[in-house]
Structures are given as structure tokens and as C-alpha cells.
Amino acid sequence: MELPEAKQRFIEAWGKLGSEWGINRTMAQVHALLLISPEALTTEQVMEQLQISRGNANMTLRDLMNWGLIEKQHRSGERKEYFFAEKDVWTIARQVAKERKRRELEPVLKLLTQLQEVQGDAQDPEYATFKTTVTDINKLAGNVDKTLETMLKAEENWFFGSMFKLFK
Amino acid sequence: MELPEAKQRFIEAWGKLGSEWGINRTMAQVHALLLISPEALTTEQVMEQLQISRGNANMTLRDLMNWGLIEKQHRSGERKEYFFAEKDVWTIARQVAKERKRRELEPVLKLLTQLQEVQGDAQDPEYATFKTTVTDINKLAGNVDKTLETMLKAEENWFFGSMFKLFK
DNA sequence: ATAAACTTTCATTAAATATTGAAAGTTTAA
DNA sequence: TTAAACTTTCAATATTTAATGAAAGTTTAT
């Protein structure tokens, strides 16, 4: 396979994977493009390479900055803004985990804890089932949360290396 | 908080979480409903409780069966089909991990391995960056894949318990 | 102060995704 | 064999989500 086709396929696959996991397809594609680009790119270049509008490119780049996945670069004597992606995949993984934990896991965890307090008759199967289910999910979610916390602090080798030793 | 409100909130939160992670909102809600229901429910009951159409209920219940999250129950003397959810949350988590790994992670892993073979000039920064990026992602994805494999075989206590001991 | 270079916004439009419900299909019992 | 009970399908519709692009906004150099 030649490089241009490979790039194309990579960008498409990354976009598809993103959309399957609740991340805007275009955002994932822009991220992919910057990941495989040795140089920082301008909004214009992103627009051209992915055939998207200025507005879309602008908003997507901003989103990616909010996710902490890309950064702006300013070049002296130029007014254009260049964007480049963090290239270390373990750092990227941690960043994504951090954001999704904060945006999606933590609010649910908070609600589950509240729902556990629901009052009712322990003899009522409706009540008993609800309470057990919520409590169990809360426990699991708590474990996931703690594990992510660990992952956020960890170095890749430590995290995966130790895990494999343990579970082989 | 009283039970009916708590149920409502739980179903909504589960639906929202699902949609944030690329799972159809209704599917997550139906799953939530069955999770907190002490008895198996009929399609009619699901339709009524969540205010959805027959077609929608039917397809959603089928999807949930394909995900291995719910099962049919037949009662002697009755023609109706009853549906109930697996209640053990660790089993649910493993089942979801298993399906998403198979449906979404593995195809990407396969493509990445192909893309790593791309031919080109090692002096070309475009080529070098592409190759490095793809190789790195492939390694990480491989680690994630192996970890999920481990998780699929593991008991919850073993999995999280050991992880905490290790990473405290 | 002005205008060129560049970025951002947001109402409109388009695309993707989910839902409906009536009709067709299937199963069971008499 | 037929009809009632129940399930499935799918074309049409509605909803949600994303993208466009022209206009407004901002910054910088002169």
C-alpha cells in the first residue's frame, strides 16, 4: 500500500472508531490528520485536506484543544495559527480517559450515589431490586473510576507491564 | 427521594450515558428498565413504561439479546415472551467489553497492522511520522486488547483487587 | 484610523440516526 | 383450517446531530 492511500484509510478508520465511541467523526478525522502530519497545519490546510468548511474546521480545532489533544503554534512574522497534535499515544490515551471520566463518568457516579439513598420498604421486590442494582453498579463504577485515576498517574510500561505480569 | 422518581432518573441517566458512548439511548433505557425490574417484562410492558412504539420495542429487545444482555423467558400456558436482564454487573461489563472489542476494536487493530506495512522512503518525514504514529497506536491498541482479554476471563475481585494492590 | 489578514459565530441546511405504526408474518389451540 | 394472539418488518416520518458559509469580529501593521 502506498502512503497516500494509507493516510486516507487511517483517517477514515479513526473517524469511524470515534463515531462508534461517541466522538464526532470529523473531530476524530482532524485529530488523525494532525497525528500523522510531521508539521503543524493551518485551518486552511485542514479544510483543504479533509474537504470541510471553515466553520467546521474552526469549531473542530477548538474542540480538540478543549480535549487537550492539540495545541496552537504561532510562527514569528506570520498571523496564521498552526495546529499540531500531541504525538505520544499514551499521553493521548490518558488525556481522553481524563476528559471522559470528568465529563461522563463522574456525573453518573454522583447520581448513583444519590439514588442509593432512595427510601422504601425492604420487603418490596421493586425497591429491593432497584437498590441492589444501583448499589452494585455504583461499586463497579467506583472501581473503574479508581482504576482510571491510577492510569492517569501511570507511565505506560508500569501500567500495562505490571498488569501483564500479574494476569498472565 | 421516592422510588418512582429514582427509577425515572436511573433510566434517564443510563440512556444518557449510553448515548455518550455510542449506544442507542432507547436501548440503554430498556436495559436499565429490565435491570431494575424484579420480574421479566413483556414487550407491551416495555412499550408502556417507556412510551415507545411496538416496532421500536421489538427491535431494541432484539438488539439487547444480540449484545447478550437480556434473555427471553417463556411461561407455560402463555404465548407472550418475557424479557429479563442479566443482573450481575461484572458479567454485564464483561459482556459489553467483549462485544465492543469484537465489533469495534478488532477491525481497527487489523487495519492498523496492515497500515504498518506501508512502503516508502524512510527519509521522507511524511512517511516517517505516519509509520511511527501507526506503530505506536498499534502497540497501545494491542495492550488494550490483551487487557480486555484478561478482563473477560477474570472474576471481578481478582481483576480490580489485584490491580489496587499493585498500584496503590 | 484603516485596511488586510485572519478567526469566530450562528442561522440555515444537510446528513445521519432513531422511531413509528400499519401491514405482513408466524405460531398455537380448538 | 381458521382465527386469535402474538412478533417482525420496513417505508415513511421525525428527531437529533453535524456542517455550511456569509457576516461579524478581532488583531496587527502601517
Side-chain angles (χ1 to χ4, degrees):
Chain A
M1 201 187 298
E2 302 294 318
L3 188 56
E5 189 197 340
K7 280 180 174 177
Q8 200 51 45
R9 291 243 224 159
F10 177 72
I11 291 169
E12 275 164 25
W14 214 237
K16 179 150 175 274
L17 189 66
S19 71
E20 286 166 346
W21 286 82
I23 284 160
N24 180 303
R25 169 190 255 82
T26 301
M27 180 167 145
Q29 288 185 337
V30 171
H31 185 226
L33 176 64
L34 292 175
L35 270 180
I36 59 174
S37 173
E39 302 288 334
L41 303 180
T42 63
T43 302
E44 294 284 342
Q45 288 174 307
V46 170
M47 286 166 61
E48 191 200 347
Q49 296 221 31
L50 299 179
Q51 291 292 306
I52 61 175
S53 71
R54 183 171 302 283
N56 196 5
N58 181 268
M59 291 181 95
T60 299
L61 288 166
R62 176 147 39 95
D63 281 354
L64 281 168
M65 296 218 303
N66 287 335
W67 276 79
L69 296 175
I70 68 172
E71 287 176 47
K72 272 185 192 170
Q73 193 180 70
H74 288 284
R75 297 189 179 175
S76 52
E78 286 197 70
R79 292 207 35 206
K80 276 198 281 273
E81 294 176 327
Y82 289 78
F83 298 90
F84 66 98
E86 162 65 47
K87 294 281 201 302
D88 182 81
V89 292
W90 179 241
T91 303
I92 296 166
R94 284 203 322 242
Q95 194 58 34
V96 172
K98 181 180 168 186
E99 288 296 320
R100 299 207 80 159
K101 171 164 137 57
R102 180 174 70 78
R103 298 174 190 212
E104 294 144 15
L105 189 56
E106 277 165 16
V108 172
L109 216 49
K110 201 174 150 196
L111 177 67
L112 285 170
T113 302
Q114 276 178 38
L115 294 182
Q116 247 180 304
E117 318 274 85
V118 65
Q119 294 303 309
D121 169 12
Q123 300 307 310
D124 175 10
E126 294 278 329
Y127 173 77
T129 304
F130 182 83
K131 186 127 187 182
T132 305
T133 302
V134 168
T135 302
D136 288 353
I137 291 175
N138 203 4
K139 272 187 208 148
L140 181 67
N143 279 343
V144 171
D145 196 62
K146 277 188 258 163
T147 302
L148 287 175
E149 204 62 63
T150 303
M151 172 184 158
L152 292 179
K153 289 180 203 145
E155 219 183 305
E156 183 179 16
N157 285 341
W158 185 45
F159 193 73
F160 284 115
S162 304
M163 195 125 76
F164 292 153
K165 243 177 270 163
L166 191 63
F167 293 122
K168 191 111 60 92
Chain B
M1 198 187 302
E2 301 294 319
L3 189 55
E5 189 197 342
K7 280 180 175 177
Q8 198 54 42
R9 291 244 223 159
F10 176 71
I11 290 169
E12 275 164 23
W14 214 236
K16 180 151 175 273
L17 189 66
S19 70
E20 285 165 345
W21 287 81
I23 283 159
N24 181 303
R25 169 191 255 81
T26 302
M27 180 165 144
Q29 288 184 338
V30 171
H31 186 226
L33 176 64
L34 291 176
L35 271 180
I36 59 175
S37 173
E39 301 287 335
L41 303 181
T42 62
T43 302
E44 294 285 342
Q45 289 174 306
V46 171
M47 286 166 60
E48 190 199 348
Q49 296 221 30
L50 299 180
Q51 291 292 304
I52 61 175
S53 71
R54 182 173 302 285
N56 196 4
N58 179 268
M59 292 180 96
T60 298
L61 288 165
R62 176 145 41 95
D63 281 354
L64 282 167
M65 296 217 302
N66 287 336
W67 277 78
L69 296 175
I70 67 171
E71 287 176 45
K72 271 185 192 170
Q73 192 180 72
H74 288 282
R75 296 190 180 175
S76 51
E78 286 198 70
R79 291 207 36 205
K80 277 198 281 272
E81 295 177 326
Y82 289 78
F83 298 89
F84 65 99
E86 161 65 45
K87 294 281 201 299
D88 181 80
V89 292
W90 178 243
T91 302
I92 295 167
R94 284 204 322 241
Q95 193 60 33
V96 171
K98 180 179 167 186
E99 289 295 320
R100 298 206 81 159
K101 172 164 134 60
R102 181 174 71 77
R103 297 175 192 211
E104 294 144 14
L105 190 58
E106 277 166 14
V108 172
L109 217 50
K110 202 174 149 195
L111 177 67
L112 287 171
T113 302
Q114 276 177 39
L115 294 181
Q116 247 179 308
E117 318 273 87
V118 66
Q119 294 305 308
D121 170 12
Q123 300 307 310
D124 175 12
E126 295 279 328
Y127 173 77
T129 304
F130 181 83
K131 187 127 187 182
T132 306
T133 303
V134 169
T135 302
D136 288 353
I137 292 175
N138 203 4
K139 272 187 208 148
L140 181 67
N143 279 343
V144 171
D145 195 64
K146 276 188 255 162
T147 302
L148 287 175
E149 203 61 61
T150 303
M151 171 185 161
L152 291 179
K153 290 177 200 145
E155 217 183 308
E156 183 179 17
N157 285 343
W158 185 45
F159 193 75
F160 285 115
S162 305
M163 196 125 76
F164 293 153
K165 242 177 271 163
L166 193 62
F167 293 120
K168 193 113 59 90

